[in-house]
Amino acid sequence: MSVTLEDARRIIAAAEKRADEIGQPMNIAVVDAGGNLVAHVRQDGAWIGSVNISINKAWTSRAFDIETKALGENSQPTQQFYGIHATNGGKVAIFAGGVPLSRDGAVVGAVGVSGGSGDQDQTVAEAGAAAF
């Protein structure tokens, strides 16, 4: 099982709707069970610097089957995953906006969002995940 293109389009549409509601253009990425990019959207006005960040958040969330927000909280100095962001060629994202996608109890992909504050990225990612 994995995320299909149809799934990714539905996830992105829901995330775009939430981004529009909060008035913050976003980059939205969806990856499959292998962490491979299925689809990405850069809304008009979204930062180009956030394209790769959104993809990396989705990849990180799938690679570790955890929300990047939670990984970030556990990767601060004195925490168990301190330094994890330096692994995997620097691809690991440790701030809010990456959410795993589960089906029948198994993680089958993830959504990653970047372009606003951590809270904004998280709420948009959660909206996308809810559409899965």
Side-chain angles (χ1 to χ4, degrees), residues 6-22 24 26 28 30 41 43 101 111 113 120-132:
E6 181 181 339
D7 293 329
R9 287 179 173 153
R10 188 174 59 255
I11 292 161
I12 287 172
E16 283 188 289
K17 180 179 179 197
R18 181 68 180 131
D20 291 345
E21 288 171 357
I22 65 172
Q24 182 62 50
M26 296 286 190
I28 305 156
V30 177
V41 166
Q43 290 187 293
L101 301 170
V111 59
V113 175
Q120 290 172 322
D121 291 355
Q122 186 69 24
T123 192
V124 172
E126 289 171 354
F132 183 61

Side-chain angles (χ1 to χ4, degrees), residues 41-113:
V41 166
R42 178 177 163 260
Q43 290 187 293
D44 292 342
W47 298 329
I48 58 171
S50 289
V51 171
N52 285 337
I53 295 171
S54 65
I55 295 168
N56 288 348
K57 285 181 182 183
W59 180 87
T60 299
S61 190
R62 174 55 193 108
F64 297 103
D65 296 344
I66 189 172
E67 288 192 7
T68 55
K69 178 180 179 181
L71 184 61
E73 292 165 355
N74 284 289
S75 63
Q76 299 306 305
T78 75
Q79 297 300 310
Q80 62 180 337
F81 298 126
Y82 179 67
I84 197 168
H85 66 283
T87 68
N88 292 280
K91 191 174 181 177
V92 177
I94 58 169
F95 32 84
V99 176
L101 301 170
S102 297
R103 183 176 283 147
D104 298 327
V107 177
V108 296
V111 59
V113 175

